[in-house]
Amino acid sequence: MSEDLSVLDREVASVISSIPRGKVTTIKTIAESLGDKRATLAVFLSLKKLKNRGIEGWHRVVRENLQADPDAIPLLKAEGVTIRGNAVDRSFITGRVRKSAILLRMRYAQRMMRDSLVLKEVGDVRTAAGVDVAYVGDVAFGACVVMDRNFNVVEKSVVKVKALFPYIPTYLAFREFRPMYLAARRCEFDVLFVDGHGLLHPELFGEACHLGVALRKPTIGAAKSLLVGEIYGNKVFVNGIHLGWVLGGSYISPGNMISIDDSLKISKMFLLNRSQPEPLILAHMESKMASTKQS
DNA sequence: GCGACAG
DNA sequence: ATCTTGTCGC
Ligand SMILES: [Mg+2]
């Protein structure tokens, strides 16, 4: 069983179908025509998929250094494109390709939802949950694990859904939201840890914010590496503003309905001797286990 | 060789 | 995120 084309794959297919015969464009140009050059790697992976399915136009895309895929060379030569070594002659490059608003619309959605964020002190926290996702191809297994303050697991849920979108830096929630949301919605908790950033995001709206707004629940982002910001001591700053923390190997920031100070306080409360707060460690294991058992 | 981009 | 080897215990 092969994977379905993702929403992004179809956008890429649409863009490359607009490249005239006898012309080529670059991977980065396609990413930009979708709205963000950060999608360059995802476009590269998309093209590989389109090539394997023989979708028209895949061969008219080259790397930034003008190198063409070896399998594309005979096809390009047949259309009259001049190739020296593996590189296409510059005169055949076009930047005039169809544009898509997909990433711009996603960015806009983040900015709109950002207005719903509330940063305030969290109430009493008796239970905390963690959500994470594991993958087998494009099948996503989302897991939510709830613990009390003595680290006893009080509730768990696992869901299995198709991943409809690839990973693109700064758009992670558009890949992981559904499995995370569906798993979390089935549980009861006072605060939710999310395996990804909260405010530590170029739009101040990371995955943890996205989930917090949708669930209308306090959420905390806890990521294993930094996406934006600079570290001074145990604080993380973005554009000179203190938005998060370094804590035991993870980067903590508010998602929604919690203050910056409380995000640290609650994270410490649920931290054992590991790289992330315990509910996330367990959610990670739970999702991974579900993905291994099934498929 | 450099830089990189949460998961 | 996933892909991988060899090794150990059952
Ligand atoms: Mg994860």
Side-chain angles (χ1 to χ4, degrees):
Chain A
M1 249 359 132
S2 76
E3 298 176 15
D4 294 335
L5 290 183
S6 73
V7 173
L8 190 85
D9 296 331
R10 291 193 287 270
E11 292 296 315
V12 172
S14 160
V15 173
I16 63 177
S17 73
S18 73
I19 307 168
R21 205 184 140 77
K23 288 284 184 182
V24 297
T25 194
T26 68
I27 298 171
K28 203 217 285 183
T29 300
I30 293 179
E32 285 165 348
S33 78
L34 297 173
D36 196 329
K37 70 168 195 253
R38 274 182 276 232
T40 302
L41 179 53
V43 167
F44 170 75
L45 297 170
S46 243
L47 285 165
K48 211 155 84 178
K49 223 150 123 190
L50 298 179
K51 173 191 172 188
N52 288 334
R53 296 170 188 232
I55 286 177
E56 164 63 18
W58 69 269
H59 63 285
R60 299 195 185 99
V61 188
V62 299
R63 309 214 224 316
E64 208 49 23
N65 61 13
L66 308 189
Q67 298 278 312
D69 182 310
D71 297 331
I73 290 174
L75 299 169
L76 290 172
K77 282 184 170 162
E79 315 186 348
V81 176
T82 306
I83 298 174
R84 286 188 310 278
N86 275 1
V88 163
D89 188 287
R90 184 160 253 107
S91 63
F92 294 91
I93 300 284
T94 178
R96 299 193 51 194
V97 296
R98 181 178 300 149
K99 296 232 187 300
S100 154
I102 183 168
L103 296 178
L104 301 178
R105 292 205 319 266
M106 287 160 55
R107 193 58 98 208
Y108 183 71
Q110 291 175 327
R111 290 178 179 157
M112 291 303 285
M113 286 187 279
R114 180 171 66 195
D115 293 339
S116 311
L117 284 182
V118 178
L119 268 67
K120 58 165 192 208
E121 292 189 349
V122 75
D124 268 352
V125 174
R126 293 201 174 81
T127 60
V131 269
D132 196 10
V133 188
Y135 300 88
V136 177
D138 63 358
V139 180
F141 295 83
C144 182
V145 177
V146 187
M147 357 183 40
D148 63 23
R149 292 187 54 174
N150 299 315
F151 299 93
N152 298 312
V153 173
V154 297
E155 198 179 2
K156 299 196 257 205
S157 72
V158 175
V159 301
K160 175 187 176 183
V161 296
K162 274 246 172 104
L164 304 177
F165 204 78
Y167 168 68
I168 300 174
T170 76
Y171 303 92
L172 175 61
F174 291 90
R175 174 165 177 78
E176 301 203 317
F177 178 86
R178 282 197 88 245
M180 282 192 173
Y181 176 80
L182 293 173
R185 208 178 53 170
R186 294 186 178 187
C187 294
E188 259 177 51
F189 50 80
D190 295 324
V191 61
L192 176 68
F193 289 100
V194 177
D195 184 34
H197 289 294
L199 295 182
L200 291 176
H201 181 275
E203 296 294 337
L204 308 185
F205 199 80
E207 183 164 47
C209 303
H210 210 124
L211 276 140
V213 167
L215 292 164
R216 300 165 201 258
K217 285 277 205 168
T219 56
I220 297 173
K224 297 178 283 293
S225 66
L226 211 51
L227 178 61
V228 290
E230 310 91 44
I231 299 165
Y232 296 99
N234 71 335
K235 297 182 176 174
V236 185
F237 292 78
V238 178
N239 297 325
I241 302 171
H242 175 216
L243 295 178
W245 307 91
V246 182
L247 175 69
S250 63
Y251 301 92
I252 303 295
S253 60
N256 190 28
M257 295 170 68
I258 193 165
S259 65
I260 294 175
D261 283 349
D262 280 355
S263 71
L264 179 65
K265 187 178 105 188
I266 304 301
S267 297
K268 283 179 171 168
M269 194 178 284
F270 287 92
L271 192 69
L272 243 32
N273 231 352
R274 311 215 222 193
S275 59
Q276 281 188 305
E278 205 57 15
L280 281 179
I281 299 285
L282 295 191
H284 188 270
M285 293 174 65
E286 202 66 32
S287 62
K288 184 72 192 166
M289 199 176 307
S291 75
T292 311
K293 280 186 68 180
Q294 300 189 48
S295 180

